[in-house]
């Protein structure tokens, strides 16, 4: 029985500060609806973060991998995407500490691992394979993603180039396409992708509503939109500390480390400019998405919004 | 040495009462248009200046090629010294004129054709020769950003822009040894903490032989000349291109260096 083909369109933005995210526990997104995978409700209440990381702390690879793994595990379960065509859609890899490509790479790792597991299962199911046949099967494996396809899109040519280099350095070639494009005017046909994600990117788009509309357009019916973005902090004490840190320390660090005060000033300001969780949820709904929910991480410093094109 | 130490400690006290929004207040309104004292100005709070000073000092030590960090260090720690310098300039007629007219030294403001036509031995000719030989340009000076006083911002900008003139006057090349010698001269002349720190920490990377020569001959010479010379920021260099180099040196009390530095590095 052939698994249904599914396409995932993900977009990532790496505009600074991915390390902030790496400090958070991403709670698993569980489906609570009796109807099954579609219509999963994200818990929007605040989760307790045992680590309160602000900025530039290093976390181990496994830890970060595990956190991101949980998000994509849920997505994969819902759409049976492991075996099929997937598209990853990447936005604006510019000036990232832990480039957004890192999230994409974690995802690619996951898809690869799933594909390998599937291969192993297939091999086990086949009886009496000779050693040569097994070896040949593994050797001939050129498409490590098992048919999943990932489309990486960015408006910035230079950053796209860097993302590509990083991908190649990590051994990802098959199944990846790199497209220069604008989130407000995507160079893709309608109803093409299973998943569209954007991480730390939508904040930088001039017309967020247009980007949301485009996301809606290129997703297939049943497709899911996921957005990871800085949001409003709901805890007053944390908010105050966060403000001090954002405006006093971040630009200084930007100047000392990158020689660029202004970009980091922009970064912290653009975070404040971005609509709140509820406002953004309404914007996503206005673009035509349904079952829109959001999940706060660390009292709302970052939020994951999710919506479905139904 | 005590004077040097004092001039290091004193500027640190200048942090108190520096203008700028209190810590934590979003600087959005201030950093765009409204609160700017000059085009490149980035208003900073006291906390930010402290962090910048510490960060830039650390980064400059860690990566000596980060010249921008040395500049930032100078701007964030130089408030007291800059005020003293500015007052010195005001007391001198030529210096006061500089403060009034605010001349800038860059390729666009220098008349390179005229400089090239100057006779051998003139200050202008020597300056041009220095730029050519060391392959430097007057345009590499970063604009001031973190000084919260428009006049003082000009003073530090002027200090940066005449750095090459000092090289010419002192006869020092732009290699490490030459730069350190000029920094010692500048440290004595300006009292800027950044100069003092550079003068003290710069020699760390030198070879033993160079270090020995530096300590025994070059530093004493630089310090002596620094004390003897009047405020070098009060000299209107742009009006003295035709003046013979030797005459200018004599006027400023700058003697020949005890040894040629080129061959040593």
């Amino acid at each position: 029985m052939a698994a249904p083909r599914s396409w995932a369109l993900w977009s990532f933005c790496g505009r600074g500060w991915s390390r902030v995210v790496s400090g958070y526990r991403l709670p698993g997104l569980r489906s609570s609806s009796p109807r099954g995978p579609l219509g999963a409700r994200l818990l929007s209440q605040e989760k307790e973060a045992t680590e309160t990381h602000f900025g530039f702390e290093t976390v181990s690879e496994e830890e970060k991998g595990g956190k991101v793994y949980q998000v994509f595990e849920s997505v994969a379960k819902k759409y049976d995407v492991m075996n099929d065509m997937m598209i990853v859609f990447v936005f604006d890899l510019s000036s990232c500490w832990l480039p957004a490509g890192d999230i994409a790479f974690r995802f690619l790792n996951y898809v690869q691992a799933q594909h390998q597991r599937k291969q192993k299962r297939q091999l086990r199911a086949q009886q009496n394979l000779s050693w040569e046949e097994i070896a040949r099967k593994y050797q001939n494996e050129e498409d490590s993603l098992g048919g999943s396809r990932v489309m990486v899109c960015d408006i910035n040519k230079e950053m796209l180039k860097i993302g590509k280099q990083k991908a190649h350095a990590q051994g990802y070639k098959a199944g990846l396409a790199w497209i220069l494009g604008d989130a407000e005017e995507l160079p893709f046909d309608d109803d093409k992708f299973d998943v569209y994600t954007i991480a730390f990117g939508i904040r930088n788009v001039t017309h967020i509503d247009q980007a949301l509309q485009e996301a809606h357009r290129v997703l297939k019916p049943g497709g899911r939109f996921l957005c990871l973005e800085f949001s409003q902090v709901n805890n007053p004490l944390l908010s105050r500390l966060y403000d001090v840190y954002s405006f006093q320390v971040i630009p200084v660090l930007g100047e000392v480390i990158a020689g660029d005060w202004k970009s980091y000033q922009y970064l912290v300001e653009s975070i404040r400019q971005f609509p709140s969780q509820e406002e953004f949820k309404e914007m996503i709904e206005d673009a035509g998405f349904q079952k829109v929910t959001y999940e706060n991480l660390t009292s709302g410093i970052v939020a994951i919004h999710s919506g479905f094109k139904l | 040495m005590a004077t040097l130490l004092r001039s290091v400690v004193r500027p640190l006290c200048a942090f108190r009462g520096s203008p700028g929004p209190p810590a934590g207040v979003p600087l959005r309104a201030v950093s765009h248009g409204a609160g700017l004292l000059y085009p490149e100005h980035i208003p900073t709070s006291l906390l930010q200046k402290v962090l910048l000073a510490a960060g830039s000092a650390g980064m400059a030590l860690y990566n000596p090629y980060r010249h921008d960090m040395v500049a930032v260090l100078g701007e964030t720690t130089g408030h007291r010294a800059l005020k003293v310098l500015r007052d010195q300039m005001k007391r001198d007629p030529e210096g006061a004129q500089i403060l009034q007219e605010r001349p800038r030294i860059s390729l666009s403001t220098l008349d390179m054709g005229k400089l090239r036509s100057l006779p051998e031995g003139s200050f202008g000719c020597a300056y041009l020769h220095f730029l050519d030989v060391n392959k430097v340009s007057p345009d590499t000076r970063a604009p001031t950003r973190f000084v919260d006083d428009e006049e003082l911002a000009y003073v530090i900008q002027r200090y940066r822009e005449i750095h090459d003139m000092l090289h010419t006057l002192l006869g020092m090349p732009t290699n490490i040894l030459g730069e350190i010698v000029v920094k010692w001269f500048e440290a004595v002349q300006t009292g800027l903490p950044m100069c003092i720190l550079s003068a003290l920490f710069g020699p760390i990377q030198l070879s033993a032989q160079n270090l020995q020569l530096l300590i025994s001959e070059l530093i004493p010479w630089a310090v002596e000349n620094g004390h003897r010379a009047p405020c070098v920021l009060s000299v209107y260099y742009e009006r003295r291109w035709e003046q013979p180099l030797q005459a200018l040196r004599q006027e400023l009390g700058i003697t020949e260096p005890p040894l040629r530095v080129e061959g040593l590095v």
Side-chain angles (χ1 to χ4, degrees), chain A residues 240 243-244 247-249 251-252 254-262 265 269 272-273, chain B residues 23-24 28 31-32 42 44-45 47-48 51-52 55-56 59 66 68-69 72 145-146:
Chain A
R240 179 109 177 85
D243 275 348
V244 171
F247 286 97
Q248 300 302 308
V249 181
V252 172
E255 177 65 31
V256 170
I257 294 167
D260 188 354
W261 177 286
K262 297 241 157 120
Q265 183 78 33
E269 287 175 1
R272 295 304 179 284
Q273 298 277 44
Chain B
R28 198 182 309 144
S31 61
H32 300 302
I42 296 177
T44 44
S45 67
L47 174 61
Q48 284 177 316
L51 293 173
L52 265 177
S56 59
M59 184 53 91
R66 291 291 302 273
D68 60 323
M69 288 291 101
V72 169
R145 284 173 301 159
F146 301 112

Side-chain angles (χ1 to χ4, degrees), chain A residues 147-196:
Chain A
S148 300
R149 281 236 298 276
V150 165
M151 198 146 293
V152 180
C153 183
D154 194 281
I155 200 168
N156 185 310
K157 210 189 273 187
E158 198 50 44
M159 288 304 135
L160 210 55
K161 194 172 85 179
I162 290 173
K164 200 169 178 177
Q165 284 168 4
K166 273 193 83 84
H168 284 195
Q170 300 209 11
Y172 295 111
K173 284 200 181 101
L176 278 177
W178 302 82
I179 314 283
L180 192 67
D182 183 351
E184 296 181 24
E185 213 179 310
L186 291 173
F188 303 114
D189 292 330
D190 300 3
D191 306 324
K192 229 172 146 26
F193 303 105
D194 292 286
V195 178
Y196 171 120

Side-chain angles (χ1 to χ4, degrees), chain B residues 85-98:
Chain B
L85 269 176
R86 189 261 313 268
D87 295 340
Q88 269 185 312
M89 285 173 80
K90 273 209 169 119
R91 285 195 292 269
D92 180 288
E94 206 171 332
Q97 214 173 16
I98 295 170

Side-chain angles (χ1 to χ4, degrees), chain A residues 50-103:
Chain A
T50 53
E51 295 166 301
T52 49
H53 293 241
F54 269 148
F56 316 106
E57 228 181 302
T58 317
V59 294
S60 68
E61 293 266 277
E62 295 91 6
E63 208 182 330
K64 178 160 172 75
K67 286 170 181 136
V68 176
Y69 186 99
Q70 281 175 297
V71 175
F72 301 144
E73 181 182 37
S74 181
V75 173
K77 274 189 203 142
K78 289 171 187 21
Y79 300 104
D80 204 20
V81 293
M82 293 173 269
N83 302 324
D84 301 314
M85 304 287 271
M86 289 166 101
I87 306 276
V88 169
F89 181 73
V90 176
F91 260 131
D92 192 3
L93 304 165
S94 54
S95 48
C96 222
W97 282 59
L98 213 55
D102 195 77
I103 298 177

